Amino acid sequence: MLVFAGLYVTGMANISVSPDSLSFGNNYVGSSSSDTVMVTNSGTDLLEVYSATVSDSMHFAVSLLDSMAYSSSGNDGTGNHWAPSDNRDVESFTLSPGESRYMLVTFSPSDAMEYNGTITISSNAPSGDVVI
C-alpha cells in the first residue's frame, strides 16, 4: 500500500522597527527636527503595512520615504545626515521578506514645554500593532 503525503508550509509576516523610540532633544519653538524609523519585514511572507499614525498630529508628522540619500556633510536641513529624496504621506505599502522602508518622523514644537507622542504602525503581522 502506497500513501501519498504532502507538507504545506505557510509563511508568516513579521514586523521589526528600528529604533524602538525617538528623542528629539531640545528644539526651538517654531523650528522642526526630524529622524528616521526603519520598518522591516523579518518574516517569511508579505508584510502589509496598513497605516502609521501619530498620537499628536499638531506637533509630530510621519512620512514614508521612497528613497534615502546619505549626506556626509549633514547639510540636509534636519540636523541629521539622512536626506529624503522623495516623500509622501504614509499610506499602505507591502514589504517582501527581508525588505525595509524608511519613515521620516518630524517634530515641530509650538510652545516651550515637554512633548510626548507615539506612532502606531498597523499591519498584517500576527504580533499586532507596533507602537513607538
Side-chain angles (χ1 to χ4, degrees), residues 81-117:
H81 294 286
W82 290 103
S85 55
D86 184 28
N87 66 44
R88 63 179 188 267
D89 290 338
V90 172
E91 53 192 46
S92 62
F93 61 94
T94 302
L95 295 175
S96 297
E99 188 179 10
S100 299
R101 296 287 292 271
Y102 284 96
M103 290 190 290
L104 182 72
V105 182
T106 303
F107 168 59
S108 304
S110 59
D111 294 301
M113 59 183 278
E114 183 176 319
Y115 292 89
N116 292 300

Side-chain angles (χ1 to χ4, degrees), residues 2 6 8 15 17 20 28 33 45 71 83 88 92 95:
L2 184 60
Y8 297 96
I15 188 169
V17 177
D20 58 3
Y28 290 105
S33 180
D45 202 356
S71 166
R88 63 179 188 267
S92 62
L95 295 175

Side-chain angles (χ1 to χ4, degrees), residues 37 39 49-54 61-66 87-93 101-105 119-122:
V37 172
V39 178
V49 176
Y50 304 129
S51 66
T53 56
V54 292
V62 62
S63 302
L64 182 62
L65 297 169
D66 287 327
N87 66 44
R88 63 179 188 267
D89 290 338
V90 172
E91 53 192 46
S92 62
F93 61 94
R101 296 287 292 271
Y102 284 96
M103 290 190 290
L104 182 72
V105 182
I119 302 168
T120 302
I121 303 171
S122 298

